[in-house]
Amino acid sequence: PWVISGEPLSLAGPQFPPSVKGWLSSVNLLHVRAVGRSDTLHYVWSSIGAPTVLLIYTRSERSALRVNWAKLLSASPAGAIWIEPPGSVVYATAVVFTKVFEYNGANASALSKGQEEPFYPPYDLAGFSWQSANHTVNRTALTAQFQGVDTSDPGGAFRNGTISFQVRGPSPPGRPGRPPLPRLLHTANSSKVEFIMDKVAPRGNSSRFMLEVVTVEEKGGGHKRLQSVRSIDDEYTPTIFEMAQLVSGPRNDSIGPNFFQWKTTAYGSRDASRENAIRCRYSPLQTANRTLPGPSIAHAYFGEGLGRSHSVAAINISFGADGPDRPLRCWSALLGFGTPPEDAFSPLVMAIVAVGLGTPVVLLLAGGLVVLFARRKHQSQYEPIN
């Protein structure tokens, strides 16, 4: 079931120009539950502060989300979000989308050489103004969208541009319907997020954009590990042979680890295809001395001791060069509980491989038998000499 909560929040401050009129930020909180026989998975998406998703696993099919709205919207939101009954929570984690960086791709190598800093001032997603997500909810497809603009720069890059997070609730295992590329493999315990930059004007001729993703992990669950999974199979994502994923440490409970997984590609169109693919890169996982900038619903759930009692890690994901022919940038990821899904050869591919490899073998065997039979027949025409 889907539970949607939202309250309008008027912004005080400078008046916006006509290009961003109507962008009075809304308080969006989207709660998705996947209920099992004796447990429940809670996915809580929100654009309050930095866009965030909470993943909470409870050992009860009756567990429920509770929100203290007055506290959540205050300057000290710690404790504003909780699960009842409290003892039912087995594990909780969070993924926070904090900033979008823009840098000069032509001088990107300068970062590793300690030369001139190629970065422009970043876009802080916690300061964006977000539209109400209520009118974007599709209860059949289990999707919703959070769309925002940077109101601090209405006459610059975001004059006509937006940043959106398209989310999809848990769905049956497999690849539901025929989704566009990269066609990630869903599980019953996973949810999908799609990051979309639309018509955001670059500030340089060789600009590249990079999304900062911060994860919050209970220290009992161990640190996140960055894994690269390579395969020779590109059936579902043509020309892409790598899957990157953040996986938590091993746990003793039945739900297993949690994961955040993506293919190393983005696309320059909503109708993603091989022709508009954009190379996607990612930085090493940063775990030393990391803190989570506020505000976000992660602070509201984990409380004031978040930095002391939780492990915080960050990774940057780059989406390639921009230009007049790439006004849109679209990147997808899966997050959830359990073992990360792995791509496998489909029956069609296995049949093609079997035919491709089996046919030469059959022909070779048949040819050998024909040659052997012909030799025996030729030798039988002569009488042995005594």
Side-chain angles (χ1 to χ4, degrees), residues 101 210-215 223-224 226 246 282-291 311-317:
F101 296 97
M210 187 163 58
L211 175 66
E212 182 182 59
V213 181
V214 178
T215 64
H223 291 283
K224 279 281 198 300
L226 175 60
L246 297 176
Y282 54 90
S283 68
L285 187 64
Q286 305 168 30
T287 57
N289 301 321
R290 292 296 309 187
T291 58
S311 300
V312 179
I315 189 170
N316 294 326
I317 301 169

Short mmCIF file of all heavy atoms in Angstrom, two decimals, residues 101 210-215 223-224 226 246 282-291 311-317:
data_model
loop_
_atom_site.label_atom_id
_atom_site.label_comp_id
_atom_site.label_asym_id
_atom_site.label_seq_id
_atom_site.Cartn_x
_atom_site.Cartn_y
_atom_site.Cartn_z
N PHE A 101 27.38 18.61 -8.46
CA PHE A 101 28.58 19.37 -8.79
C PHE A 101 28.67 19.55 -10.31
O PHE A 101 28.21 18.70 -11.07
CB PHE A 101 29.84 18.64 -8.31
CG PHE A 101 29.93 18.49 -6.82
CD1 PHE A 101 29.52 17.32 -6.20
CD2 PHE A 101 30.42 19.52 -6.04
CE1 PHE A 101 29.59 17.18 -4.82
CE2 PHE A 101 30.50 19.39 -4.66
CZ PHE A 101 30.09 18.21 -4.05
N MET A 210 27.95 15.97 -11.69
CA MET A 210 28.25 14.87 -10.79
C MET A 210 27.31 14.93 -9.59
O MET A 210 27.13 15.99 -8.98
CB MET A 210 29.71 14.97 -10.34
CG MET A 210 30.23 13.81 -9.54
SD MET A 210 32.05 13.81 -9.51
CE MET A 210 32.38 15.44 -8.81
N LEU A 211 26.69 13.81 -9.27
CA LEU A 211 25.74 13.73 -8.15
C LEU A 211 26.44 13.12 -6.95
O LEU A 211 27.06 12.07 -7.05
CB LEU A 211 24.54 12.87 -8.56
CG LEU A 211 23.51 12.58 -7.47
CD1 LEU A 211 22.80 13.86 -7.03
CD2 LEU A 211 22.49 11.54 -7.96
N GLU A 212 26.32 13.79 -5.79
CA GLU A 212 26.87 13.25 -4.55
C GLU A 212 25.79 12.44 -3.83
O GLU A 212 24.70 12.95 -3.57
CB GLU A 212 27.38 14.36 -3.64
CG GLU A 212 28.00 13.83 -2.36
CD GLU A 212 28.48 14.93 -1.43
OE1 GLU A 212 27.63 15.77 -1.03
OE2 GLU A 212 29.68 14.98 -1.12
N VAL A 213 26.11 11.19 -3.52
CA VAL A 213 25.19 10.29 -2.83
C VAL A 213 25.82 9.92 -1.49
O VAL A 213 26.95 9.43 -1.45
CB VAL A 213 24.90 9.03 -3.65
CG1 VAL A 213 23.92 8.12 -2.92
CG2 VAL A 213 24.36 9.40 -5.04
N VAL A 214 25.11 10.15 -0.41
CA VAL A 214 25.59 9.84 0.94
C VAL A 214 24.72 8.75 1.54
O VAL A 214 23.49 8.81 1.46
CB VAL A 214 25.56 11.10 1.84
CG1 VAL A 214 26.04 10.76 3.25
CG2 VAL A 214 26.44 12.20 1.23
N THR A 215 25.35 7.75 2.13
CA THR A 215 24.62 6.66 2.77
C THR A 215 24.84 6.69 4.27
O THR A 215 25.93 7.05 4.75
CB THR A 215 25.06 5.28 2.23
OG1 THR A 215 26.44 5.06 2.57
CG2 THR A 215 24.90 5.22 0.72
N HIS A 223 30.46 -1.33 7.53
CA HIS A 223 30.59 -0.27 6.55
C HIS A 223 30.10 -0.73 5.18
O HIS A 223 30.11 -1.92 4.86
CB HIS A 223 32.05 0.17 6.44
CG HIS A 223 32.55 0.89 7.67
ND1 HIS A 223 32.23 2.20 7.94
CD2 HIS A 223 33.33 0.46 8.69
CE1 HIS A 223 32.81 2.56 9.07
NE2 HIS A 223 33.48 1.53 9.55
N LYS A 224 29.70 0.24 4.37
CA LYS A 224 29.36 -0.04 2.99
C LYS A 224 30.62 -0.43 2.21
O LYS A 224 31.71 0.08 2.47
CB LYS A 224 28.73 1.19 2.34
CG LYS A 224 27.25 1.39 2.65
CD LYS A 224 26.37 0.50 1.81
CE LYS A 224 24.93 0.98 1.79
NZ LYS A 224 24.28 1.04 3.08
N LEU A 226 32.09 -0.86 -1.81
CA LEU A 226 31.85 -0.57 -3.23
C LEU A 226 32.33 -1.75 -4.05
O LEU A 226 33.47 -2.18 -3.94
CB LEU A 226 32.59 0.71 -3.63
CG LEU A 226 32.55 1.11 -5.10
CD1 LEU A 226 31.11 1.35 -5.56
CD2 LEU A 226 33.41 2.34 -5.35
N LEU A 246 26.83 -0.49 -4.00
CA LEU A 246 27.23 -0.33 -2.62
C LEU A 246 26.47 -1.38 -1.81
O LEU A 246 25.24 -1.44 -1.86
CB LEU A 246 26.89 1.06 -2.11
CG LEU A 246 27.60 2.24 -2.80
CD1 LEU A 246 27.08 3.56 -2.23
CD2 LEU A 246 29.10 2.14 -2.62
N TYR A 282 32.30 6.80 -11.56
CA TYR A 282 32.07 7.00 -10.13
C TYR A 282 33.41 7.06 -9.42
O TYR A 282 34.41 6.48 -9.85
CB TYR A 282 31.20 5.89 -9.55
CG TYR A 282 31.70 4.48 -9.81
CD1 TYR A 282 32.57 3.85 -8.92
CD2 TYR A 282 31.30 3.78 -10.94
CE1 TYR A 282 33.02 2.56 -9.15
CE2 TYR A 282 31.75 2.50 -11.19
CZ TYR A 282 32.61 1.89 -10.30
OH TYR A 282 33.06 0.62 -10.53
N SER A 283 33.42 7.80 -8.31
CA SER A 283 34.64 7.99 -7.54
C SER A 283 34.79 6.86 -6.53
O SER A 283 33.84 6.11 -6.27
CB SER A 283 34.57 9.32 -6.80
OG SER A 283 33.55 9.26 -5.80
N PRO A 284 35.97 6.71 -5.92
CA PRO A 284 36.11 5.76 -4.80
C PRO A 284 35.18 6.14 -3.65
O PRO A 284 34.85 7.31 -3.46
CB PRO A 284 37.58 5.88 -4.41
CG PRO A 284 38.26 6.43 -5.62
CD PRO A 284 37.26 7.33 -6.28
N LEU A 285 34.77 5.15 -2.88
CA LEU A 285 33.88 5.39 -1.75
C LEU A 285 34.66 6.12 -0.64
O LEU A 285 35.75 5.71 -0.26
CB LEU A 285 33.33 4.07 -1.22
CG LEU A 285 32.27 4.15 -0.14
CD1 LEU A 285 31.01 4.83 -0.67
CD2 LEU A 285 31.93 2.75 0.38
N GLN A 286 34.08 7.21 -0.14
CA GLN A 286 34.72 8.00 0.90
C GLN A 286 34.05 7.71 2.23
O GLN A 286 32.86 7.96 2.40
CB GLN A 286 34.60 9.49 0.57
CG GLN A 286 35.14 9.87 -0.80
CD GLN A 286 34.75 11.27 -1.21
OE1 GLN A 286 34.57 12.14 -0.36
NE2 GLN A 286 34.58 11.50 -2.50
N THR A 287 34.82 7.19 3.17
CA THR A 287 34.26 6.80 4.48
C THR A 287 34.94 7.51 5.64
O THR A 287 34.38 7.55 6.73
CB THR A 287 34.39 5.28 4.68
OG1 THR A 287 35.77 4.90 4.57
CG2 THR A 287 33.57 4.52 3.65
N ALA A 288 36.14 8.05 5.44
CA ALA A 288 36.89 8.66 6.54
C ALA A 288 36.38 10.06 6.86
O ALA A 288 36.26 10.90 5.96
CB ALA A 288 38.38 8.70 6.20
N ASN A 289 36.05 10.28 8.13
CA ASN A 289 35.66 11.60 8.62
C ASN A 289 34.49 12.19 7.83
O ASN A 289 34.45 13.39 7.54
CB ASN A 289 36.86 12.57 8.56
CG ASN A 289 38.02 12.09 9.39
OD1 ASN A 289 37.83 11.55 10.48
ND2 ASN A 289 39.24 12.27 8.88
N ARG A 290 33.53 11.36 7.48
CA ARG A 290 32.37 11.85 6.75
C ARG A 290 31.26 12.23 7.72
O ARG A 290 31.03 11.58 8.74
CB ARG A 290 31.83 10.78 5.78
CG ARG A 290 32.75 10.46 4.62
CD ARG A 290 32.97 11.64 3.70
NE ARG A 290 31.73 12.26 3.26
CZ ARG A 290 31.66 13.22 2.36
NH1 ARG A 290 32.78 13.68 1.81
NH2 ARG A 290 30.51 13.74 1.99
N THR A 291 30.57 13.30 7.41
CA THR A 291 29.39 13.72 8.17
C THR A 291 28.25 13.94 7.19
O THR A 291 28.47 14.15 6.00
CB THR A 291 29.64 15.01 8.96
OG1 THR A 291 30.03 16.06 8.04
CG2 THR A 291 30.74 14.81 10.00
N SER A 311 27.58 4.91 10.58
CA SER A 311 28.65 5.06 9.60
C SER A 311 28.11 5.84 8.41
O SER A 311 27.05 5.51 7.87
CB SER A 311 29.14 3.68 9.14
OG SER A 311 29.64 2.93 10.23
N VAL A 312 28.83 6.87 8.01
CA VAL A 312 28.43 7.72 6.90
C VAL A 312 29.46 7.58 5.79
O VAL A 312 30.66 7.70 6.03
CB VAL A 312 28.30 9.19 7.33
CG1 VAL A 312 27.90 10.06 6.14
CG2 VAL A 312 27.28 9.33 8.46
N ALA A 313 29.00 7.30 4.58
CA ALA A 313 29.89 7.15 3.43
C ALA A 313 29.32 7.96 2.27
O ALA A 313 28.11 8.22 2.20
CB ALA A 313 30.03 5.69 3.02
N ALA A 314 30.18 8.36 1.36
CA ALA A 314 29.75 9.18 0.22
C ALA A 314 30.44 8.72 -1.05
O ALA A 314 31.57 8.22 -1.03
CB ALA A 314 30.05 10.65 0.47
N ILE A 315 29.73 8.88 -2.17
CA ILE A 315 30.28 8.55 -3.47
C ILE A 315 29.75 9.57 -4.48
O ILE A 315 28.61 10.04 -4.36
CB ILE A 315 29.91 7.11 -3.91
CG1 ILE A 315 30.67 6.71 -5.16
CG2 ILE A 315 28.41 6.95 -4.09
CD1 ILE A 315 30.54 5.23 -5.49
N ASN A 316 30.59 9.93 -5.44
CA ASN A 316 30.19 10.85 -6.50
C ASN A 316 30.03 10.09 -7.80
O ASN A 316 30.89 9.28 -8.18
CB ASN A 316 31.25 11.95 -6.67
CG ASN A 316 31.35 12.85 -5.46
OD1 ASN A 316 30.35 13.12 -4.80
ND2 ASN A 316 32.56 13.30 -5.14
N ILE A 317 28.94 10.37 -8.50
CA ILE A 317 28.63 9.68 -9.76
C ILE A 317 28.53 10.73 -10.86
O ILE A 317 27.70 11.64 -10.80
CB ILE A 317 27.32 8.88 -9.64
CG1 ILE A 317 27.44 7.86 -8.49
CG2 ILE A 317 26.99 8.17 -10.94
CD1 ILE A 317 26.14 7.21 -8.12
#
